[in-house]
Amino acid sequence: MLIAQITDLHIRMPGQKAYRVVETDRYLPPAIEALNRLDPAPDLVIISGDLTDFGRQQEYAHLKNMLDALHAPYFLMPGNHDAREALLAAFPTHTYLQGANGFVQYAVEDYPLRLLMLDTVVPMQSHGTLCSQRLDWLRERLAEQPGRPTAIAMHHPPFITGIAHMDAIGLLAGAPELEQIVAAHPNVERILCGHLHRTIFQRFGGTIASTCPSPAHQVALDLRPDGPSAFVMEPPGFHLHEWRNGALVTHHAYIGDYPGPYPFHEEGGVLIDE
């Protein structure tokens, strides 16, 4: 099973620049092309939040028009830049978005690795939370199939990254409770997150929690406690999570055209250089 993860698209309307710099909608088509060229093809694509920049209906319509070109089935999740009602209205055939108790969280059951999608959104706020209702839902889903390999996906990561301005708008409630739940279920193979616009890993509740880069702009790597809120135009990317032989392996993939691939050996197996 091959899972592609893209995140933090921040789609605006054509010609509009996020932060007066990034025409975010120009970066998604190359990402879709890169996903469509993959061999083997991904079985599904997780889009882990911040689908649009302002949660506006026209932004979701623009997003949907672009995602129509994606070959693999895709599953949407909200982030702090999204609006649940507008998201549901724009993707009426994605009935899983109806979720539970007003939250966009759901289970994907049709693959070898089970996926549980958690909604961390606090409307009109940048930080995330996991309230008792959302955590109870997760407990119930995990109790249904305690031995089945499972990954959890959510927008805000449940750990401190060291990037101060992002940690200030991270998962500000529910992380300790989530860690207790995950620790009690060793079948949880990974927690897949967005929000950080970077690749970051931490051990969490006996498993690994990770964040994914954006196909557009990246959060600046600045670990100073007083580091400013800033982004950089580092190469766009995505993650590939391969479930094989009972283990999940993650690859960081770049989007764009780069020289290569070049062989390490000349024809006949002669070593070129060490």
Side-chain angles (χ1 to χ4, degrees):
M1 178 183 176
L2 188 61
I3 304 166
Q5 180 188 3
I6 58 175
T7 193
D8 295 272
L9 314 180
H10 290 268
I11 295 301
R12 290 196 181 195
M13 299 307 292
Q16 295 182 358
K17 294 181 179 181
Y19 314 109
R20 297 180 292 181
V21 174
V22 193
E23 290 186 50
T24 50
D25 72 309
R26 295 180 58 186
Y27 285 83
L28 182 55
I32 292 172
E33 291 173 10
L35 294 172
N36 288 343
R37 287 196 303 265
L38 288 173
D39 185 12
D43 294 287
L44 65 121
V45 178
I46 295 172
I47 310 179
S48 52
D50 282 0
L51 311 174
T52 67
D53 211 27
F54 292 110
R56 295 169 178 164
Q57 196 65 54
Q58 62 268 35
E59 292 175 338
Y60 287 113
H62 186 33
L63 169 65
K64 184 179 183 303
N65 286 337
M66 290 186 281
L67 290 178
D68 284 343
L70 190 58
H71 295 168
Y74 61 88
F75 293 88
L76 300 162
M77 301 173 58
N80 51 285
H81 280 254
D82 292 303
R84 295 187 187 104
E85 291 185 4
L87 170 60
L88 269 63
F91 293 88
T93 62
H94 289 242
T95 55
Y96 60 84
L97 291 172
Q98 299 298 327
N101 299 318
F103 301 115
V104 181
Q105 47 190 44
Y106 54 92
V108 179
E109 305 279 12
D110 301 330
Y111 301 90
L113 183 69
R114 190 187 194 205
L115 301 173
L116 298 178
M117 314 303 213
L118 281 179
D119 182 338
T120 60
V121 172
V122 180
M124 307 301 294
Q125 299 294 325
S126 296
H127 70 274
T129 191
L130 285 173
C131 61
S132 59
Q133 281 186 304
R134 287 177 261 197
L135 291 168
D136 286 345
W137 179 90
L138 178 62
R139 286 190 187 93
E140 292 167 4
R141 299 292 78 75
L142 288 170
E144 291 171 345
Q145 302 180 57
R148 184 176 175 188
T150 299
I152 297 170
M154 53 197 286
H155 181 66
H156 296 83
F159 60 91
I160 299 299
T161 68
I163 301 177
H165 67 97
M166 294 302 295
D167 290 334
I169 58 169
L171 189 71
L172 300 188
E177 294 83 356
L178 175 65
E179 188 163 22
Q180 290 179 358
I181 294 169
V182 171
H185 293 85
N187 59 311
V188 176
E189 299 289 337
R190 187 72 61 83
I191 302 174
L192 307 174
C193 309
H195 194 52
L196 262 291
H197 296 235
R198 299 202 69 84
T199 296
I200 309 171
F201 295 93
Q202 181 183 287
R203 191 160 184 82
F204 181 88
T207 189
I208 299 295
S210 62
T211 66
C212 181
S214 168
H217 52 293
Q218 315 305 330
V219 168
L221 178 56
D222 188 338
L223 300 180
R224 295 174 295 175
D226 59 348
S229 175
F231 68 94
V232 292
M233 298 309 298
E234 291 175 344
F238 61 94
H239 279 174
L240 282 175
H241 309 286
E242 185 181 32
W243 176 250
R244 181 190 294 271
N245 298 326
L248 193 63
V249 177
T250 294
H251 299 264
H252 177 115
Y254 293 102
I255 299 166
D257 295 321
Y258 303 96
Y262 302 113
F264 285 110
H265 295 80
E266 293 179 346
E267 188 175 342
V270 178
L271 183 65
I272 295 175
D273 197 3
E274 293 189 9

